[in-house]
Amino acid sequence: MERGEERRRSVSEAATVGDRSTILRTETLTKRFGGTTAVDDVSLSIDAGEFFALVGPSGCGKTTTLRMLAGLERPTAGRVEIAGRNVAGRPASDRDTNLVFQDLVLFTHMTVAGNVAYGLARDGVPRAERRSRAAEMLATVGLEGFGDRDPAALSGGQKQRVALARALVNEPAVLLLDEPLSSLDRKLRAEMRAELRRIQDDVGTTFLYVTHDQESAMSMSDRVAVMRAGRIVESGPPESLYGHPQTAFVADFLGNANLLSGRVHGQRAGAVVVDAAGGRFPAAVGEGRTPPASGADATVMIRPENLRLRGDTFAGTVRDIGYMGAHREYAVALDSGPTLQVRSGDNGDGVTVGDAVGLGVAAAAVVGAGADG
Amino acid sequence: MRGSTDRLPWPIPNGPDQRRTLVDVVLAALPTALAVALGVVPLLSLVVESVSPPVTLSNYAALSESVYLTVLVRSLGIGVVITGACLAIAYPVTYWLAHACPPRYRLPVLVSFTLPLWLNYVVLNYTWVWILATDGIVNTVLTAGGVVDRPLDLLRTASGAGIGPIELPGPSLGLGFVHIYLPYVLLTMYVSMERLDYRQVEAARDLGAGSLRVFVDIVVPETYAGAIAGTLIVYARIAGAFATPQILASPSEQMIAQIITTQFYDVLDYPFAAALSVVFLLVVVVGFGIGALSTDVRAELKRW
Amino acid sequence: MVKTVGRNSERSGATDRLRRGAAAAVRGGFFRITVVATALFLYLPVVVVGYLSLSPGSQPSIPLDGATLRWYVAVLSDARFVRGLVTSGVIGVVAAVTGTGLGLLAARTIVRARLPRWLRAFVGVVVAIPLFIPTVVVALGIGITAGQVGLGFGLWPVVAGHLYWVLPFSTFLIASRYATIDGRMTEVARDLGADGITTFRTITLPQLWPALVASVLFAFALSFNEFLLTFFLAGSGMTTMPLEIYGKVRIGATSFLNAASVLVLLFSGAVAAVAASLEPPT
């Protein structure tokens, strides 16, 4: 009982006393295991109600970060502020976060309702209220009437929903999700992504979603942070990260990217004109960033879907065609040397391997243009 | 290494983790204290007792009398023979149970084969008296059927046969031992057999291997470590058995536990009983050592 | 066996198939005979004693000339034997319950405790001593130590000895179940606000329950039937069921003893069977 009240009070305090909209903030969060640094100086700030994704290749430290936020791993140093309170040294039972585990880890010796009501019981909620709130939460996640089932008898998607309901029911300030969709097949995963979004809109809880799957991260989140080797490389809205990455790593990690080195030829509004791989084309700089000076070296990114098999920016020869169903992927070796990936939904190209083609650039972006002005 | 922890801002002390470790230590201490008080301390006091009064090796010197050596060698030999017999039975039985038995019968059969583990071994030994006595079941059937003229001496008779220093136990002693210890061997062998990947056997069959070849090339190499680990325990039990030889052995088949018990119970020579025990224990430990030389066997023992 | 032949038949010629079929049949027969013979070997002696316990006379003659339950009545009205039975039962309950409690602590230490590996291994080895060391050595050691510390012989040394004797069985039975519990469940519970004790009560204990009950039953059966330790530690002031039976076996085989044996076997067998149904072997 006491803890529940304290928890609610701390949330309201945060709304008034703390930073107006920040619900979770870390500063210089660091974790070392022996001599290796798993998480290195991570500073994050997540707004209340946000759907935030932390994405990176496996072993980049994202799960360790999440476990430190949950209180299951002790940071070596740093601050973790949740709803305005520094909880860095506090155990998991004493912080206002709940974690949905990668393998869900449902309590197999309890019913579905028993699982969902578990956190309420720990908060000292009376039995009758536990039952009604658990039923309500099950309805929210689309499992109305499943309360008496045995978790082992549920399908993969249903288990996901139970794990979600169990973690949401006692209204945590932040819900932490550790790749909960990774065990689902492709189709179900897409379905659950939409469901996660809907549920998040429904309950309004802040979601911090950790994954190595950039597609999941971008499709669901308001903001994405990309992690590499224990550090956060870049963060921002998915469109901005995908369209205007500041590093080659992020450009490549978030999707297929043709990266070319070139030289700035001249300036335009919000863009520069670049000479690269024997072609001259405009490349966007990105909002709020300083364009590189004329004559400077620059790395340019062109997404495969932004290259056309018609045009005269580049000239080359088709080396390979991959049929992907909805589109085709071409490997085009430029006369100037590099090979570019081109994606085209146009089935009537009539282009075959060995054909000489001209390529047009629909959109390109300068990578790492003068970070943040 | 990137510089020490204390130079990072907001270092976090190891508070709750240390408290959890303390709880773990306290909880571990209770069973460990009991085991040390009743296991380690008695073994040490046996050693102390065996060199008393004050400090003497005379108890060990007395051991060199040939009668004690004979009994020790006999006990170890019987341990080897019975363990071998149990293994010979357990191999086909557990192989069938793990790989040929219809799955729904597997557990009931295994349970019924291992149930005698929890029964009274004095009683189980006693049942053989009625089977093998001169007026017991076997002799009644044999004489009634005209197979023999006079009842056979099966109960408490030495076999008189042997291989080198190893004596073969008489019929009642042998059967009584196998009856009690076979369930242990069946249980441990079953665990190994279950882990044997049956597809290996199928692959060997498919390549034209006969039953014997499959057994020698696949089954034994895949299961021997588990077999040895399991039988080491049984071996020590058999060599140190007291009740079974008391009930089923001929007077000429005395075993080491009987002598130790007599020294303790009737002669009241504790130091000599202790010296006998220490020597016997050392021999058994050396046996374990030889068995555990193989890393496979060590891994199996760790599983226990 | 049939399965194997069927598969091979696609590949081999007719003669080969016949030869292998015959081999498989012989193989199947050999295994089945061994299994049936083993079952008979284990249980036939018990059946024989059960049959002989119905003898009208105190010395059964084969075949029996009639059947009666009078020896069962005699056993259950024999004051000394019943006293031994009750003593064994009480010792068994104390050893089983305490042993299971300590076994739970030892199992937790071996499987889950956040202690150095060598320390957990040490606990495992110390607890396992009575499994590997000949019982007569353990019994003599405890007997001599009890004398040295002034405990002498009697009930307390017997209880302590039995407790130690059942500890490894309880520990390893519970440990094998403990190891199957997903360790992350306790993390989930902590994350949802449970402290250490609550986590144990609501997550670990309910899942260990069958193993704990099985451990109590198995440990009871072990202690109830244990003879050698008691023989060394009891002294002259007390008696237990196995001591009583052993004493009578030394005097000679009788119908009384047969009936007592059947009762003891049935009781222990029932306890162990219930335990095995809760926590199957292996």
Side-chain angles (χ1 to χ4, degrees):
Chain A
M1 190 68 91
E2 285 164 33
R3 223 175 61 83
E5 275 171 16
E6 185 191 348
R7 177 176 280 190
R8 240 153 272 145
R9 203 176 327 120
S10 68
V11 175
S12 55
E13 259 170 21
T16 53
V17 181
D19 192 294
R20 196 169 50 85
S21 61
T22 301
I23 190 88
L24 184 145
R25 193 217 311 271
T26 71
E27 278 182 74
T28 61
L29 189 61
T30 302
K31 178 68 184 181
R32 289 186 184 152
F33 295 106
T36 55
T37 304
V39 174
D40 191 3
D41 191 16
V42 163
S43 295
L44 276 175
S45 177
I46 298 173
D47 293 344
E50 216 180 356
F51 198 125
F52 191 96
L54 190 57
V55 63
S58 52
C60 72
K62 57 190 191 300
T63 294
T64 306
T65 304
L66 198 70
R67 288 174 58 84
M68 286 194 288
L69 299 182
L72 295 170
E73 202 80 63
R74 257 183 116 59
T76 309
R79 289 174 68 82
V80 176
E81 271 173 39
I82 292 164
R85 184 166 76 110
N86 181 21
V87 293
R90 310 295 309 158
S93 55
D94 186 27
R95 51 173 79 188
D96 204 4
T97 54
N98 286 339
L99 174 61
V100 178
F101 281 65
Q102 179 167 15
D103 303 318
L104 310 177
V105 200
L106 297 180
F107 300 139
T108 46
H109 59 294
M110 298 178 188
T111 60
V112 166
N115 270 274
V116 176
Y118 188 84
L120 294 175
R122 304 288 80 78
D123 284 352
V125 174
R127 186 179 291 272
E129 190 189 335
R130 285 206 302 258
R131 201 172 304 148
S132 63
R133 279 174 68 183
E136 221 172 280
M137 188 46 75
L138 279 173
T140 305
V141 298
L143 285 181
E144 198 156 13
F146 276 68
D148 293 330
R149 301 274 188 101
D150 174 4
L154 300 181
S155 72
Q158 290 168 336
K159 284 181 186 167
Q160 302 278 347
R161 292 166 196 262
V162 175
L164 205 57
R166 179 176 66 181
L168 276 173
V169 74
N170 53 354
E171 296 166 4
V174 182
L175 184 73
L176 308 167
L177 301 105
D178 186 10
E179 309 216 30
L181 304 186
S182 61
S183 61
L184 300 181
D185 63 50
R186 200 181 159 77
K187 207 169 167 190
L188 194 55
R189 200 180 326 163
E191 195 183 306
M192 277 306 292
R193 272 186 214 144
E195 269 295 278
L196 268 181
R197 240 349 297 205
R198 178 190 67 74
I199 291 166
Q200 202 249 349
D201 281 346
D202 228 34
V203 296
T205 306
T206 310
F207 277 34
L208 172 51
Y209 189 94
V210 156
T211 181
H212 67 274
D213 170 22
Q214 20 75 25
E215 218 174 275
S216 289
M218 290 194 294
S219 65
M220 291 188 288
S221 319
D222 301 316
R223 276 198 300 149
V224 175
V226 181
M227 238 181 132
R228 181 196 196 183
R231 289 176 162 270
I232 291 190
V233 189
E234 249 178 87
S235 65
E239 297 85 352
S240 128
L241 284 194
Y242 185 80
H244 300 283
Q246 293 183 55
T247 60
F249 173 76
V250 171
D252 195 49
F253 186 77
L254 291 183
N256 292 331
N258 296 301
L259 292 166
L260 299 170
S261 342
R263 180 164 303 230
V264 176
H265 174 75
Q267 311 284 331
R268 278 196 194 177
V272 290
V273 175
V274 180
D275 287 325
R280 175 170 293 174
F281 53 94
V285 174
E287 223 171 300
R289 303 208 179 126
T290 318
S294 298
D297 288 336
T299 304
V300 197
M301 178 196 75
I302 314 174
R303 296 284 181 198
E305 65 269 25
N306 290 331
L307 280 170
R308 298 275 140 77
L309 282 170
R310 280 180 292 275
D312 55 4
T313 309
F314 301 112
T317 312
V318 176
R319 288 281 181 238
D320 188 37
I321 304 177
Y323 177 61
M324 314 300 285
H327 63 267
R328 283 166 205 264
E329 283 185 359
Y330 302 83
V332 178
L334 300 188
D335 298 344
S336 57
T339 298
L340 298 185
Q341 284 181 66
V342 181
R343 174 182 292 194
S344 167
D346 183 3
N347 289 340
D349 294 333
V351 174
T352 57
V353 173
D355 287 358
V357 290
L359 295 181
V361 178
V366 177
V367 173
D372 298 316
Chain B
M1 286 285 248
R2 281 170 158 257
S4 67
T5 309
D6 53 18
R7 279 167 52 198
L8 291 166
W10 302 301
I12 293 173
N14 294 321
D17 281 0
Q18 281 172 350
R19 201 165 60 229
R20 285 222 332 254
T21 307
L22 187 68
V23 170
D24 284 351
V25 168
V26 171
L27 294 182
L30 284 164
T32 311
L34 178 83
V36 169
L38 291 164
V40 178
V41 171
L43 290 184
L44 292 177
S45 67
L46 267 188
V47 176
V48 172
E49 184 75 24
S50 71
V51 293
S52 67
V55 177
T56 170
L57 285 177
S58 62
N59 298 311
Y60 288 97
L63 273 174
S64 59
E65 279 177 45
S66 68
V67 51
Y68 299 115
L69 287 179
T70 311
V71 171
L72 186 60
V73 170
R74 178 187 299 132
S75 302
L76 299 171
I78 287 177
V80 170
V81 171
I82 302 294
T83 309
C86 288
L87 271 180
I89 300 170
Y91 253 105
V93 170
T94 55
Y95 180 80
W96 179 85
L97 194 53
H99 299 296
C101 178
R104 70 199 148 106
Y105 297 130
R106 197 165 284 156
L107 194 59
V109 172
L110 183 64
V111 168
S112 65
F113 277 178
T114 53
L115 200 64
L117 287 178
W118 316 102
L119 302 181
N120 190 312
Y121 52 86
V122 176
V123 171
L124 289 180
N125 280 159
Y126 164 71
T127 59
W128 286 96
V129 172
W130 281 110
I131 307 266
L132 301 174
T134 13
D135 52 353
I137 287 280
V138 169
N139 275 318
T140 309
V141 170
L142 289 183
T143 44
V147 182
V148 292
D149 305 332
R150 281 185 310 121
L152 300 171
D153 281 334
L154 298 171
L155 184 65
R156 302 187 188 117
T157 318
S159 70
I163 311 153
I166 296 181
E167 289 177 30
L168 291 180
S172 59
L173 186 61
L175 288 167
F177 265 136
V178 173
H179 192 207
I180 295 177
Y181 293 103
L182 180 59
Y184 283 94
V185 181
L186 284 173
L187 184 59
T188 51
M189 277 303 305
Y190 176 76
V191 176
S192 308
M193 277 297 177
E194 206 186 18
R195 277 182 292 146
L196 165 72
D197 187 349
Y198 190 66
R199 286 170 302 179
Q200 292 188 26
V201 174
E202 291 183 328
R205 289 253 166 78
D206 200 47
L207 295 169
S211 297
L212 192 63
R213 268 259 82 88
V214 168
F215 183 76
V216 171
D217 290 348
I218 311 283
V219 179
V220 171
E222 292 287 320
T223 56
Y224 86 97
I228 291 178
T231 50
L232 280 177
I233 296 172
V234 174
Y235 167 74
R237 292 273 176 85
I238 296 167
F242 170 73
T244 306
Q246 283 287 97
I247 297 169
L248 294 174
S250 104
S252 65
E253 289 182 307
Q254 233 191 4
M255 292 179 69
I256 187 80
Q258 294 172 283
I259 295 193
I260 294 174
T261 309
T262 308
Q263 293 298 323
F264 176 79
Y265 228 81
D266 303 327
V267 185
L268 300 178
D269 189 347
Y270 289 8
F272 186 57
L276 276 169
S277 298
V278 170
V279 170
F280 176 47
L281 182 59
L282 283 179
V283 174
V284 169
V285 168
V286 167
F288 274 137
I290 293 170
L293 279 180
S294 150
T295 43
D296 290 350
V297 176
R298 270 206 301 277
E300 287 293 328
L301 284 172
K302 280 198 187 111
R303 287 170 47 89
W304 275 81
Chain C
M1 295 302 129
V2 178
K3 202 177 59 181
T4 318
V5 177
R7 188 175 18 261
N8 284 343
S9 65
E10 291 169 17
R11 237 169 266 176
S12 341
T15 12
D16 206 14
R17 184 155 76 234
L18 268 178
R19 191 174 59 78
R20 289 196 189 198
V26 170
R27 204 158 56 223
F30 166 71
F31 281 116
R32 259 171 232 145
I33 289 167
T34 323
V35 170
V36 171
T38 304
L40 289 178
F41 171 72
L42 288 177
Y43 287 101
L44 216 48
V46 178
V47 173
V48 168
V49 169
Y51 166 68
L52 295 177
S53 70
L54 304 173
S55 160
S58 73
Q59 281 294 323
S61 59
I62 301 169
L64 294 183
D65 41 4
T68 167
L69 291 177
R70 60 178 282 223
W71 294 109
Y72 287 91
V73 177
V75 168
L76 292 175
S77 46
D78 182 289
R80 199 177 154 80
F81 188 80
V82 169
R83 193 160 45 131
L85 216 52
V86 170
T87 311
S88 286
V90 170
I91 295 172
V93 169
V94 172
V97 172
T98 319
T100 298
L102 291 171
L104 172 60
L105 296 181
R108 183 184 174 280
T109 303
I110 295 167
V111 178
R112 283 287 141 80
R114 310 223 296 182
L115 297 175
R117 237 173 131 69
W118 65 266
L119 200 57
R120 292 186 300 160
F122 171 77
V123 174
V125 168
V126 174
V127 166
I129 285 178
L131 283 182
F132 289 90
I133 289 187
T135 315
V136 65
V137 177
V138 174
L140 181 68
I142 296 179
I144 286 178
T145 312
Q148 281 167 349
V149 300
L151 211 55
F153 300 104
L155 187 61
W156 289 114
V158 170
V159 168
H162 280 223
L163 189 54
Y164 182 51
W165 176 240
V166 302
L167 185 60
F169 291 92
S170 290
T171 301
F172 295 119
L173 182 94
I174 298 168
S176 67
R177 171 57 75 105
Y178 219 131
T180 66
I181 299 178
D182 190 336
R184 289 167 309 173
M185 277 195 203
T186 60
E187 288 196 335
V188 175
R190 280 195 285 141
D191 185 55
L192 292 171
D195 58 28
I197 292 169
T198 311
T199 302
F200 183 77
R201 182 173 58 78
T202 57
I203 304 298
T204 311
L205 205 53
Q207 299 189 69
L208 282 181
W209 207 233
L212 293 177
V213 177
S215 161
V216 168
L217 293 173
F218 276 136
F220 176 82
L222 272 180
S223 162
F224 185 71
N225 292 311
E226 173 51 34
F227 161 72
L228 190 52
L229 274 174
T230 325
F231 189 68
F232 268 80
L233 302 175
S236 53
M238 64 177 289
T239 186
T240 67
M241 179 276 290
L243 290 185
E244 276 302 297
I245 289 197
Y246 175 76
K248 288 197 158 57
V249 171
R250 294 292 289 166
I251 297 165
T254 61
S255 297
F256 180 93
L257 199 43
N258 292 344
S261 299
V262 171
L263 285 176
V264 166
L265 291 180
L266 283 181
F267 179 61
S268 321
V271 170
V274 172
S277 70
L278 285 167
E279 195 74 356
T282 80

